[in-house]
Amino acid sequence: MTTIKFDYSPLKKFVHENELSEMQQMVTACDNELRQKTGAGSDFTGFVDLPIEYDKEEFSRIKKAAEKIRNDSEVFVAIGIGGSYLGARMACDFLNLNFGSWQKDRKGPLVLFAGNSISGTYLHEILELIGDKDFSINVISKSGTTTEPSIAFRVLKQKLVEKYGKDEAAKRIYATTDKARGALKTESDAQGYEEFVVPDAIGGRYSVMSAVGLLPIAVAGGDIDKLMDGFAAGRDDYNSPDLSKNEAYQYAALRNILMRKGYDVEILENYEPSLQYLGEWWKQLAGESEGKDQKGIYPSSANFSTDLHSLGQYIQEGRRFLFETVVMVDNPRYDIEIPAESDDLDGLKYLEGKKMNYVNEQAYRGVVIAHTDGGVPVMTIHVDQQDEYTLGKLIYFFEIAIGVSGYLNGINPFNQPGVEAYKNNMFALLGKPGFEKQTDEIKKRESDFF
């Protein structure tokens, strides 16, 4: 079953025929590092075999918990930040499960996401939306001490306790956390929350196919059995180091070839609004994996044709350091025919009777030609349709590609040491215990900036 096809034919003017094959030896070495767990960060490569090594008992519990939540809650709030929320949010958008939550005949709760910012306004609006509705929460944090989700959890937990009492509130709290230690694990054990595990061998940005993402996706109405089937198909299809067979590795190699030619910013683009959060998820996957040691491709995203009216001019004629990767849905879920009118005031008579998806495809084709002519390399990942199976396979495509891409650039793709810098400064400014030594220095430096 072919659900994903990678097309790099527009790169002919940017990449010579021999360049991809010349990467084969390096790709084979990187593939061996990844699969034999000899490369940097190998302790966090559990995603590679997750499609066959996932916890089947926990998977069953996830489905049961999701069914309970869908029956007893009008609103479900997933609390997490970064990899603890982007994957689930991306999947809900990709599978068109968000608008469906508002349909009168739909079973199941409205799924919301919190703990991904420190905005009091945003959290207030969630509280207002919940109102007196029945609701449940899923707090997702390996440590239980990450600032943004910890604040949101305190606030929403308080609302649960006020509405249901402490004992009943505990039955509506689901904790996805470390299997053995941490603040959230300690609280969950003490209060009796149902617990799911953040796997030790999988970093947050690679964790969407664990309980981290699967519970919110299942609550939203996604078929996680089909999602896992697609994920397993990705493992099967992208298992060979042979560049002539493995399209995920073709993508990894080509983006490195382009980077070495000076194209060091990649824009992930789509032509369906429901793929916007695919771009957000991918940006963390690529940016946090590759942006270190003063190396890496800078990941950006754009939503076409919308952003063609804001970014199109720069992409067409600005500085030549960009390349584009399009995720194109070949068979969208729905289509609308453009109606006829007696006059032609809007100039659309030439489109009467045509379908919107046809127009959208011609926009894509026109953009590829224009941007390629303008000096911007373009690659396309074609996905057959927006369903669970295809999404599972697409997730594996990107995860395995980014892992190999990082190794090709001599980077540990599975750590993220740089994210601690801003946190330490913030904790010092807030007076967090243990950061007293940094506080005076940060206070002095603060005056240089504010």
Side-chain angles (χ1 to χ4, degrees):
M1 181 186 295
T2 301
T3 56
I4 296 175
K5 183 172 178 56
F6 178 56
D7 177 17
Y8 60 92
S9 55
L11 294 186
K12 291 176 183 176
K13 67 178 288 186
F14 305 98
V15 178
H16 295 128
E17 289 184 10
N18 68 300
E19 288 186 84
L20 184 59
S21 60
E22 291 292 341
M23 295 287 285
Q24 182 62 73
Q25 189 172 353
M26 287 183 285
V27 168
T28 299
C30 293
D31 173 79
N32 185 67
E33 284 188 298
L34 183 63
R35 298 185 191 278
Q36 299 302 318
K37 301 185 184 299
T38 60
S42 60
D43 289 346
F44 294 96
T45 57
F47 72 94
V48 175
D49 291 320
L50 183 63
I52 60 171
E53 294 183 351
Y54 67 95
D55 186 330
K56 312 301 190 297
E57 185 276 331
E58 182 182 61
F59 191 82
S60 178
R61 286 197 301 112
I62 288 170
K63 292 195 288 186
K64 289 178 181 178
E67 188 61 28
K68 175 182 178 297
I69 295 165
R70 288 173 60 80
N71 287 327
D72 69 14
S73 300
E74 298 170 90
V75 178
F76 172 77
V77 186
I79 302 171
I81 194 168
S84 294
Y85 107 96
L86 277 171
R89 178 67 189 271
M90 171 271 291
C92 289
D93 273 17
F94 187 98
L95 299 172
N96 298 116
L97 299 175
N98 290 321
F99 288 166
S101 299
W102 295 90
Q103 295 173 2
K104 292 181 180 179
D105 59 348
R106 178 177 171 83
K107 296 180 180 179
L110 172 65
V111 176
L112 303 174
F113 294 88
N116 46 64
S117 73
I118 318 177
S119 168
T121 299
Y122 179 83
L123 194 53
H124 171 81
E125 290 175 347
I126 286 182
L127 293 171
E128 289 289 299
L129 194 156
I130 293 172
D132 196 41
K133 299 180 182 69
D134 287 318
F135 75 106
S136 298
I137 61 178
N138 173 208
V139 55
I140 308 162
S141 175
K142 191 169 180 63
S143 67
T145 59
T146 305
T147 305
E148 294 90 340
S150 294
I151 291 172
F153 182 41
R154 276 202 181 195
V155 172
L156 288 161
K157 178 171 56 176
Q158 181 183 57
K159 185 172 180 65
L160 273 175
V161 171
E162 289 173 352
K163 180 174 177 61
Y164 299 105
K166 189 173 182 180
D167 291 342
E168 289 301 313
K171 297 176 183 178
R172 291 176 171 270
I173 296 174
Y174 301 82
T176 306
T177 189
D178 191 89
K179 66 180 180 181
R181 63 182 67 84
L184 182 55
K185 170 64 176 173
T186 299
E187 179 177 341
S188 300
D189 288 347
Q191 301 301 324
Y193 307 152
E194 182 162 6
E195 298 177 30
F196 301 99
V197 175
V198 178
D200 287 337
I202 300 175
R205 58 189 176 277
Y206 291 87
S207 68
V208 59
M209 293 301 294
S210 72
V212 171
L214 292 177
L215 180 59
I217 294 168
V219 171
D223 186 332
I224 62 174
D225 287 302
K226 291 180 180 177
L227 189 67
M228 191 60 74
D229 287 344
F231 197 48
R235 180 181 179 275
D236 292 341
D237 285 2
Y238 310 126
N239 194 40
S240 170
D242 188 341
L243 276 171
S244 69
K245 299 176 181 178
N246 191 328
E247 292 188 333
Y249 284 5
Q250 291 171 11
Y251 169 61
L254 286 165
R255 62 198 302 273
N256 272 268
I257 291 170
L258 290 169
M259 179 188 66
R260 292 165 193 176
K261 292 173 180 277
Y263 300 98
D264 54 14
V265 173
E266 180 177 8
I267 309 176
L268 191 79
E269 299 162 353
N270 65 75
Y271 284 76
E272 289 289 338
S274 54
L275 269 61
Q276 177 180 349
Y277 266 87
L278 176 68
E280 298 302 313
W281 171 79
W282 171 86
K283 281 191 290 189
Q284 185 194 6
L285 179 68
E288 203 168 71
S289 295
E290 296 189 301
K292 57 200 69 164
D293 302 332
Q294 288 75 56
K295 298 178 182 179
I297 299 165
Y298 182 81
S300 182
S301 63
N303 308 296
F304 289 170
S305 63
T306 305
D307 289 339
L308 287 170
H309 295 260
S310 57
L311 299 176
Q313 172 62 41
Y314 190 98
I315 296 171
Q316 187 70 42
E317 296 184 344
R319 293 173 54 220
R320 302 295 77 182
F321 62 101
L322 306 169
F323 69 95
E324 300 170 281
T325 300
V326 182
V327 179
M328 190 67 185
V329 180
D330 292 336
N331 297 291
R333 289 192 174 196
Y334 304 107
D335 206 351
I336 293 177
E337 183 177 301
I338 300 168
E341 291 188 357
S342 57
D343 52 32
D344 190 29
L345 294 178
D346 55 13
L348 291 182
K349 196 167 189 62
Y350 73 106
L351 294 179
E352 290 177 357
K354 291 183 170 63
K355 298 291 186 72
M356 288 185 67
N357 289 337
Y358 169 79
V359 177
N360 206 23
E361 182 181 354
Q362 303 320 303
Y364 154 72
R365 289 172 175 268
V367 169
V368 171
I369 295 169
H371 288 184
T372 300
D373 289 347
V376 181
V378 183
M379 303 180 282
T380 300
I381 301 166
H382 289 273
V383 299
D384 183 48
Q385 55 194 344
Q386 288 178 247
D387 60 12
E388 287 90 344
Y389 183 91
T390 305
L391 177 58
K393 191 171 181 180
L394 184 63
I395 288 169
Y396 199 91
F397 176 99
F398 277 128
E399 289 186 347
I400 202 76
I402 294 298
V404 165
S405 181
Y407 280 157
L408 284 172
N409 201 23
I411 289 170
N412 176 354
F414 306 112
N415 68 351
Q416 55 278 341
V419 299
E420 298 303 316
Y422 89 88
K423 292 181 182 179
N424 293 339
N425 289 348
M426 179 180 70
F427 293 151
L429 290 168
L430 290 170
K432 183 176 181 177
F435 288 81
E436 292 84 359
K437 291 183 179 179
Q438 291 101 311
T439 300
D440 289 342
E441 179 60 28
I442 291 298
K443 288 288 186 183
K444 291 177 184 176
R445 297 204 61 217
E446 187 181 17
S447 64
D448 294 335
F449 296 93
F450 306 103

